[in-house]
């Protein structure tokens, strides 16, 4: 018994055969794939937000008897205090 017949698979045509030359008329599996968008640099993808869109006040807080200064943003005057500490090397 032919194993390709039992699996439902057909054999590929030999290189140089007429069957191979006619295969270029078949539709491609990739013919309906949309075009890839152009590659953009990171500065085109993202732009910085202005702090004033989210906060009411910006300030630098000096720790007494230390050279440590923390840049802080504050919003609102009522409600619970929410303290978020960014651990990225004082970058944010």
């Amino acid at each position: 018994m032919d194993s390709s017949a039992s699996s439902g698979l057909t054999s590929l045509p030999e290189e140089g055969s007429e069957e191979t030359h006619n295969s270029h008329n078949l539709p491609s599996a990739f013919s309906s794939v949309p075009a890839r968008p152009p590659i953009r640099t990171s500065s085109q993808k993202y732009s910085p937000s202005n702090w004033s869109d989210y906060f009411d006040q910006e300030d630098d807080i000096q720790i007494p008897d230390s050279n440590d200064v923390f840049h802080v943003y504050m919003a609102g005057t009522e409600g619970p205090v929410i303290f978020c500490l960014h651990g990225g090397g004082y970058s944010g």
Side-chain angles (χ1 to χ4, degrees):
M1 178 177 202
D2 183 11
S3 64
S4 64
S6 65
S7 67
L9 300 176
T10 59
S11 62
L12 294 174
E14 292 292 325
E15 267 189 54
S17 72
E18 189 173 318
E19 205 175 331
T20 303
H21 295 298
N22 292 334
S23 66
H24 70 279
N25 296 331
L26 298 174
S28 168
F30 299 102
S31 62
S32 64
V33 175
R36 184 176 201 160
I39 296 174
R40 299 183 306 180
T41 63
S42 63
S43 63
Q44 292 171 318
K45 290 180 188 176
Y46 309 104
S47 60
S49 297
N50 193 334
W51 68 268
S52 62
D53 292 342
Y54 305 97
F55 301 98
D56 301 324
Q57 184 180 349
E58 173 186 35
D59 204 358
D60 288 324
I61 306 295
Q62 169 81 36
I63 305 300
D65 302 323
S66 167
N67 290 329
D68 293 332
V69 177
F70 291 91
H71 195 80
V72 297
Y73 298 96
M74 293 175 269
T77 57
E78 298 178 15
V81 173
I82 299 175
F83 178 76
C84 301
L85 178 63
H86 185 284
Y90 301 97
S91 64

